[in-house]
Amino acid sequence: MTTFSVSTLTAANGDFEVREQPIPETPADGMLVRVEYAGVCATDLHIALGHIPDYDYPSTLGHEVCGIVEEVGPEFGRDVRGVPLKAGDRVAVMPATPCGRCAPCKAGGRFPNCESWDVIGFSNPDERPAGGGWGQYVLCNSRARVFVSEAPAENVVLAEPAATPVEGLMRAGFRFGDSVLVQGTGTVGLLAIAAAALGGASTISAIGGPARRLEIARELGARTTVDIGTLRDPDERRNAVLAGSPNEKGYDLVVECAGVPSTVPEGFGYLARGGCFIELGHFSDVGTVEINPYQHILSRDARMVSSSGYTPDSFGRALGLVEKLGEKARHLITHRLPLERAHDAINALRPANRWQLDGVEVGKVVIDPWLET
């Protein structure tokens, strides 16, 4: 076998074409990974719709990558934790790595910043072969950060989406015993619930829907769930949400994972005095919100943090989280699709399609590039 199959997005609002590419040689300081699963997320939808300015098409998507090491160069060395790498190891691939040479990299700091990111899953196949998880192989170069795991692939593929809420909670200073409200019960919201539960939150509530996702939210640790589709009146919803908080006085942390503008001022209204609002959901520009600085922030002594990325530390912690989920991780994955159905995977995330695919409500969708149609 000298070629492999890859799904290629031809242009913004274009088609996904399954093409054959030569399997690249593994350099001495690189590693070739045989992809098992690659997740589908809202960022992929925004790329497909042309919402990312100056994005380079054609493109190989797939930045949530789990796979088996096919070949490792003698100079690649170990994973992030210092584990020696060998063929046959299952790894989670961290998709973005800094160059280490530019001014922001040399300056350091807690938040990841680089003028020349190396990214997997946002790659032009004409410039970077095997550059995304929506293909049968991913080629990792010397800058890649990978993590060996003995957990099932269904767990490991969730490490990347779990890293976002883990990083957000860490930036907010989440502590054992804090009360947490999560707005939105998509994959990131559900993993935020799991992270808060594993970290020892005293109370966890969730606003979201539909019913199946709320059931999983309770399974992962949410004591109170509020169905946004059923409780549409803002005042009634506020009363129901606050009723689940300690002494009905609000939450220490509110984690916004819905990506809907109206959730921001509403979320501030659920904070206890001195609480922190964590913004994770707005990865594209979907509009503005009106904030009353006194009512929403100052009168509550509120803080706000956000996270548009994560560090190797939070990624490693996220992997530990999804490893501990055990069988529960499989409940988050609703669809496993072949490369030929990449367009279906993207369309299922459109609100107009009511998050349905093959008559089933969409949870986490993953691409299995070896699955035959």
Side-chain angles (χ1 to χ4, degrees):
M1 178 176 165
T2 58
T3 65
F4 72 103
S5 299
V6 59
S7 177
T8 302
L9 175 62
T10 58
N13 293 295
D15 295 324
F16 284 90
E17 297 180 353
V18 177
R19 302 175 178 176
E20 292 296 309
Q21 294 182 350
I23 297 178
E25 293 186 6
T26 304
D29 60 351
M31 182 176 67
L32 187 67
V33 175
R34 186 183 192 272
V35 177
E36 293 180 289
Y37 290 138
V40 182
C41 88
T43 302
D44 300 313
L45 173 64
H46 292 305
I47 292 171
L49 296 178
H51 293 171
I52 310 298
D54 302 319
Y55 191 84
D56 187 20
Y57 301 92
S59 183
T60 302
L61 305 184
H63 60 276
E64 302 175 1
V65 180
C66 163
I68 301 296
V69 175
E70 183 83 2
E71 185 178 12
V72 57
E75 298 175 13
F76 190 89
R78 302 168 180 260
D79 80 344
V80 171
R81 294 165 170 169
V83 177
L85 286 158
K86 64 183 184 302
D89 285 339
R90 174 170 289 130
V91 292
V93 180
M94 187 170 165
T97 53
C99 69
R101 298 185 298 273
C102 68
C105 281
K106 291 180 178 179
R110 181 179 176 187
F111 306 116
N113 190 16
C114 179
E115 294 175 352
S116 181
W117 289 102
D118 180 71
V119 293
I120 290 171
F122 307 91
S123 306
N124 187 320
D126 297 331
E127 300 174 359
R128 178 172 183 167
W134 294 12
Q136 292 175 322
Y137 290 98
V138 161
L139 183 64
C140 299
N141 60 30
S142 60
R143 289 166 56 177
R145 293 168 175 173
V146 299
F147 297 74
V148 173
S149 177
E150 296 182 358
E154 291 87 351
N155 296 66
V156 179
V157 74
L158 297 173
E160 198 282 338
T164 295
V166 168
E167 177 70 22
L169 288 167
M170 291 173 63
R171 291 187 187 187
F174 170 64
R175 298 178 299 174
F176 183 89
D178 279 347
S179 56
V180 178
L181 169 68
V182 176
Q183 296 175 287
T185 50
T187 301
V188 171
L190 292 172
L191 290 169
I193 293 168
L198 185 64
S202 60
T203 299
I204 304 172
S205 296
I207 311 173
R212 178 189 168 278
R213 295 185 183 184
L214 295 179
E215 181 180 345
I216 295 175
R218 291 188 290 271
E219 180 182 325
L220 293 175
R223 186 173 69 184
T224 301
T225 58
V226 174
D227 191 332
I228 193 74
T230 301
L231 210 55
R232 292 185 176 277
D233 181 79
D235 292 332
E236 292 182 7
R237 186 164 63 246
R238 172 180 169 79
N239 291 336
V241 172
L242 288 178
S245 67
N247 301 315
E248 302 185 8
K249 297 294 186 182
Y251 298 84
D252 297 313
L253 302 171
V254 173
V255 190
E256 196 286 306
C257 302
V260 178
S262 62
T263 59
V264 177
E266 181 176 331
F268 271 102
Y270 296 133
L271 281 176
R273 186 175 182 85
C276 183
F277 184 85
I278 306 172
E279 172 52 52
L280 302 179
H282 286 80
F283 272 86
S284 66
D285 187 351
V286 294
T288 59
V289 298
E290 185 175 293
I291 292 290
N292 183 311
Y294 171 76
Q295 177 184 348
H296 292 113
I297 303 174
L298 192 142
S299 66
R300 302 173 184 276
D301 277 326
R303 295 183 296 123
M304 179 178 182
V305 299
S306 65
S307 174
S308 62
Y310 40 77
T311 65
D313 177 48
S314 54
F315 193 99
R317 292 170 187 265
L319 177 58
L321 164 66
V322 297
E323 288 173 336
K324 288 181 173 64
L325 286 181
E327 292 285 338
K328 295 179 182 178
R330 300 183 183 183
H331 299 172
L332 275 68
I333 299 174
T334 57
H335 296 78
R336 297 164 177 81
L337 301 179
L339 292 173
E340 290 81 3
R341 299 196 64 191
H343 194 75
D344 293 337
I346 288 293
N347 279 339
L349 301 185
R350 295 175 185 251
N353 292 328
R354 302 182 62 83
W355 296 280
Q356 296 281 322
L357 180 58
D358 299 336
V360 177
E361 176 197 325
V362 167
K364 168 56 72 175
V365 179
V366 297
I367 300 293
D368 177 348
W370 298 91
L371 187 64
E372 296 182 0
T373 54

